[in-house]
Amino acid sequence: MVKKKSSRTLFTTAALLGVIAGAVVGSRYYGLGVSTLKEGEASMTRNIGGQKFLRWKSPRELPMLSFEDEAGKMLTLADFRGRTVLLNIWATWCPPCREEMPSLDRLNAKRGGSAFEVLALSIDGDPAVVRPFYRETGIKTLQEYFDPKGRSLAVLGAFAVPVTLLIDKNGLGKVCTTPAAA
């Protein structure tokens, strides 16, 4: 009994240390490279309703993101040059993501076309869970894009979803939102 209790305590302690370490590492990269911004680069940082909004003084280059469409074709953000893109990185297991998807679909229905697209990029490990979620929530206009290994978060320096970036027609980031720090 003592041995069982001791291993449970060790496991609990290790798990807690892992969570703390993740929070420390995550906080360093929080906000899409906020920790690497030079003084004066962000012209606006606001926390509104649990979302942290950043607007850079000038549009900034974004790192190379690659992902798949529903047919399995590899794409990058460069494939969307020439139109404004609202990139939303999300997952079906994320409650705030699930809540905002219908409004993103409505936005895409109203404004989407050759000049604008909401690019909903799922980081679900199994892309097969996205289609039933779209049906269940009535998503009709959003295309299915996938990053099953979740590399887009690391590439952008983010550690949680949802993350949303407004990208201009030249492929430059203008505004981003990230989950607010606890």
Side-chain angles (χ1 to χ4, degrees):
M1 182 67 165
V2 171
K3 193 172 197 173
K4 195 175 201 179
K5 187 174 184 178
S6 174
S7 66
R8 190 176 324 147
T9 302
L10 181 62
F11 176 77
T12 303
T13 302
L16 182 59
L17 288 173
V19 169
I20 291 169
V24 169
V25 170
S27 68
R28 176 182 171 140
Y29 295 103
Y30 178 71
L32 301 174
V34 169
S35 64
T36 61
L37 285 178
K38 295 179 181 91
E39 187 173 328
E41 280 187 350
S43 60
M44 178 183 78
T45 303
R46 287 218 169 114
N47 187 335
I48 303 170
Q51 285 290 107
K52 186 172 186 177
F53 290 83
L54 299 172
R55 180 183 171 101
W56 296 294
K57 279 189 175 178
S58 58
R60 63 191 307 193
E61 290 286 333
L62 295 173
M64 177 61 78
L65 286 182
S66 58
F67 48 91
E68 300 172 15
D69 67 9
E70 56 194 65
K73 179 182 174 189
M74 290 302 296
L75 300 169
T76 68
L77 290 177
D79 293 310
F80 295 84
R81 289 251 166 94
R83 66 177 124 169
T84 301
V85 172
L86 187 71
L87 170 65
N88 179 263
I89 302 172
W90 71 286
T92 59
W93 44 261
C94 163
C97 300
R98 293 177 68 90
E99 186 176 321
E100 72 183 4
M101 289 301 286
S103 62
L104 291 171
D105 188 55
R106 286 190 302 274
L107 174 64
N108 198 56
K110 187 173 185 175
R111 302 279 185 210
S114 61
F116 175 80
E117 180 175 348
V118 174
L119 194 162
L121 179 58
S122 168
I123 61 165
D124 284 287
D126 181 4
V129 301
V130 173
R131 186 161 289 130
F133 170 78
Y134 273 27
R135 276 194 308 267
E136 167 191 320
T137 54
I139 304 298
K140 292 182 175 49
T141 69
L142 296 178
Q143 298 297 309
E144 295 177 27
Y145 297 105
F146 308 102
D147 175 15
K149 295 189 178 173
R151 290 186 179 133
S152 55
L153 290 178
V155 167
L156 291 171
F159 72 96
V161 288
V163 173
T164 305
L165 288 102
L166 181 61
I167 303 168
D168 71 14
K169 64 183 180 178
N170 299 311
L172 301 173
K174 300 193 107 180
V175 177
C176 71
T177 66
T178 63

